[in-house]
Amino acid sequence: MTKRKSTAELIAKLNARIAELEAENSRLHSEIQTITHVMYSEDAEKERLRAEIYRLRAIIEKEARNGVEA
């Protein structure tokens, strides 16, 4: 009787620990997804700004050439 009870208690404790670890795993997975999303958003913003810089440089260069020709 005692052996069965201690085995059942051990299984219950292990199941509780498994549930805790699964919850922690889920939380960490959500954090990783959030961080990844932020990283991709920042990369996209950097690319957008880089394109805008190139566009403005082209305008400035064109204006400078037009000013020299005039």
Side-chain angles (χ1 to χ4, degrees), residues 43-55:
D43 287 347
E45 180 65 7
K46 285 178 191 174
E47 286 303 314
R48 188 192 68 75
L49 291 172
R50 187 174 288 122
E52 182 67 6
I53 288 168
Y54 288 132
R55 186 184 75 78

Side-chain angles (χ1 to χ4, degrees), residues 57-70:
R57 281 183 183 160
I59 291 170
I60 291 167
E61 289 172 3
K62 183 179 177 183
E63 293 287 327
R65 281 194 303 273
N66 288 341
V68 170
E69 293 172 6

Side-chain angles (χ1 to χ4, degrees), residues 15-28:
N15 284 335
R17 183 65 179 136
I18 289 169
E20 290 172 4
L21 292 172
E22 287 174 341
E24 179 69 4
N25 184 47
S26 178
R27 186 188 65 76
L28 291 172

Side-chain angles (χ1 to χ4, degrees), residues 2 5 21 23 27 30 32 36 63 68 70:
T2 305
K5 184 178 179 186
L21 292 172
R27 186 188 65 76
S30 293
I32 289 169
T36 302
E63 293 287 327
V68 170

